[in-house]
Amino acid sequence: MLLRERETPEGLLVSVCDPDCIGETYSEGDVSLDVTEDFYGGDEAEPADSETVVDSLTRATVANIVGERAVGVAIDAGLVDEETVLEVDGTLHAQLLWLR
């Protein structure tokens, strides 16, 4: 998985995706999900294992998660409810928001 963290005025923004999703656009009906290198990849993105992803998601204020493996890690850790996951053109997408 690729993991990227950014500090923003609102808190820690985390993006996680499966590497094969980078550069892809998934569309279904009126919904379009563009997994850009600028947001999910780039020099600041690092390969991460499940434990590192869970740690980052736990510290995040907001997170965007794309791909079967990345979303699965968040579900397995109890951070995302499987019923709230979107499937867009066969690809899983979840958002996480902690109110602290």
Side-chain angles (χ1 to χ4, degrees):
M1 292 169 286
L2 289 176
L3 171 68
R4 186 169 178 184
E5 295 184 350
R6 299 174 196 74
E7 280 297 336
T8 72
E10 292 79 25
L12 181 63
L13 170 62
V14 172
S15 55
V16 183
C17 73
D18 293 356
D20 60 332
C21 294
I22 292 283
E24 298 292 333
T25 298
Y26 303 96
S27 298
E28 191 170 312
D30 292 337
V31 178
S32 180
L33 174 62
D34 193 12
V35 188
T36 64
E37 176 77 24
D38 286 345
F39 188 78
Y40 289 93
D43 293 337
E44 292 90 19
E46 298 182 3
D49 61 16
S50 297
E51 185 177 318
T52 303
V53 167
V54 169
D55 176 66
S56 183
L57 292 175
T58 302
R59 293 182 293 105
T61 303
V62 176
N64 290 279
I65 311 160
V66 178
E68 186 173 334
R69 181 160 183 236
V71 172
V73 165
I75 291 169
D76 290 345
L79 300 171
V80 169
D81 184 345
E82 189 171 5
E83 293 180 18
T84 65
V85 173
L86 296 176
E87 185 173 338
V88 181
D89 195 18
T91 298
L92 301 182
H93 173 63
Q95 291 182 314
L96 174 68
L97 171 66
W98 292 108
L99 300 174
R100 298 183 173 143

